[in-house]
Amino acid sequence: MKELSRIAEAVQASTTMAIDSLFKQMKADGIDVIGFGAGEPDFHTPDHIKAAGITAIEQNFTRYTPAGGTLELRQAVCDRLQADCQVSYQPNQVVVTSGAKHAVYAALRALINPGDEIILPAPSWVSYYELIKMAGGVPVLLTAGEAEHFKITPERLEASVTPRTKAVILNNPSNPTGMMYGREELKAVADVCVKYDLYVIDDEIYYSLVYDGAEFVSLPSLGDGIKERCILINGVSKSYAMTGWRIGYACANDKIAKVIANYLSHSTGSPCAISQKAALAALSGPQDEVEQMRQAFEARRNYIVERMNQIPGISCIKPQGAFYVMMNIEQLLGKTLHGVTITDGDVFADLFLKKGLVAVVPCSGFGSPSFVRWSYATSMDQIREGLDRLERFLAN
Ligand code: PMP
Ligand code: GLU
């Protein structure tokens, strides 16, 4: 038989999705496993949002919509971004997608010609690397360590730019690090992007999950030069506990938004009509449950970080946003646990799942092999139990 697409065959499965499936399968098999794998809020979608979905079905809002989403939803996106992020977009600059993941892919497809380089700060969410390759681009990793709070600097960004560089991906606050760029740091990165005429795929999907009263600064709010080059990615999955509804969006200048909408008109047709009504209710309805969930995440973060730093052999720095913490396992490397020598996060995560019955995600797929990621989007009881298990697992 003839060979398959080389681009498709080179794609690695998503580690986050793989760990989550394995965890769910083990649970279904009756194994007492605890999951800190996929970043998925444990809260249910708020009732008024669910009701809007049900009404959509009852009122037969069940047909195709425009490829880039309904006008009312695109308007609601503009209003929400104006209110929360102080950025101003028009509905024709918004494209609604089937989840933010697809918005990232469509944005990359809109930008990349074969061989274009995309600078990817690492550690970063697993899907970016593969999506860049899927779109025919070349990922150029720019790694920032724990000592730098996992954040890139303008100097290092500038040093990575080549004549082939087309864009930079920024994820603020970040999955998996939970780190957030302050106004001055962000401005300095934006200045480099404008100087070298780089586009920025700016994923702000965790913007409403920010802690300690810190100010979130949206990249396109920093001025027209950066806004013109920015494709802002966002969605309802995380803020409104709507991961399964599959609604995300991209905002960009008129030309890019049109190119993305055209691309989607062939690749998905339109996002789910029912979910669009639910997302409309989410974005334009009361926001108090978003704040309640944020407060719950903040309390969980405080607990997990404090306890992790009391356990010998591992440590973490305090994230400022999202719902992830990077556990540093460097001190365990070369040591033997349960008869196995720990050589990296993959070995640790595999053993911790099998012997400790706790699912965490190894960060090699994120570009940081001596870390594992815990998602604290789960209940306080589970977090307490997970850390108890970690203590017992390491004591052996
Ligand atoms: N961006 C980041 C940084 C994420 O962590 C996720 C989580 N899957 C997404 C995008 C995609 O979200 P969605 O569920 O809307 O596809
Ligand atoms: N973004 C989440 C995570 O990193 C969900 C899974 C995925 O889409 O990768 O775990």
Side-chain angles (χ1 to χ4, degrees), residues 2 4 19 52 85 95 114 128 168 202 211 214-215 227 231 242 256 258 261 284 331-332 339 347 351 365 372:
K2 294 198 177 176
L4 301 182
I19 296 274
C85 301
V95 188
Y128 296 134
V168 181
D202 172 39
Y211 312 123
E215 178 200 28
K227 187 175 171 223
I231 305 184
M242 291 179 69
I256 297 177
K258 181 134 191 26
S284 54
Q331 292 177 63
L332 299 177
V347 175
L351 193 68
V372 295

Side-chain angles (χ1 to χ4, degrees), residues 27 33-36 378-387:
K27 234 180 141 56
V33 62
I34 305 187
F36 296 88
T378 187
S379 74
M380 201 60 128
D381 282 349
Q382 296 276 288
I383 294 173
R384 213 170 278 123
E385 174 62 18
L387 289 162

Side-chain angles (χ1 to χ4, degrees), residues 46-62:
D47 285 343
H48 72 281
I49 301 175
K50 290 195 278 199
I54 292 165
T55 305
I57 296 173
E58 285 171 351
Q59 295 187 346
N60 296 310
F61 194 76
T62 53

Side-chain angles (χ1 to χ4, degrees), residues 19 22 340 344-358 360 362 372 393:
I19 296 274
L22 183 60
V340 176
D344 60 15
D346 292 83
V347 175
F348 177 90
D350 187 59
L351 193 68
F352 194 27
L353 181 58
K354 286 183 185 143
K355 300 285 181 196
L357 295 181
V358 176
V360 295
V372 295
F393 174 78

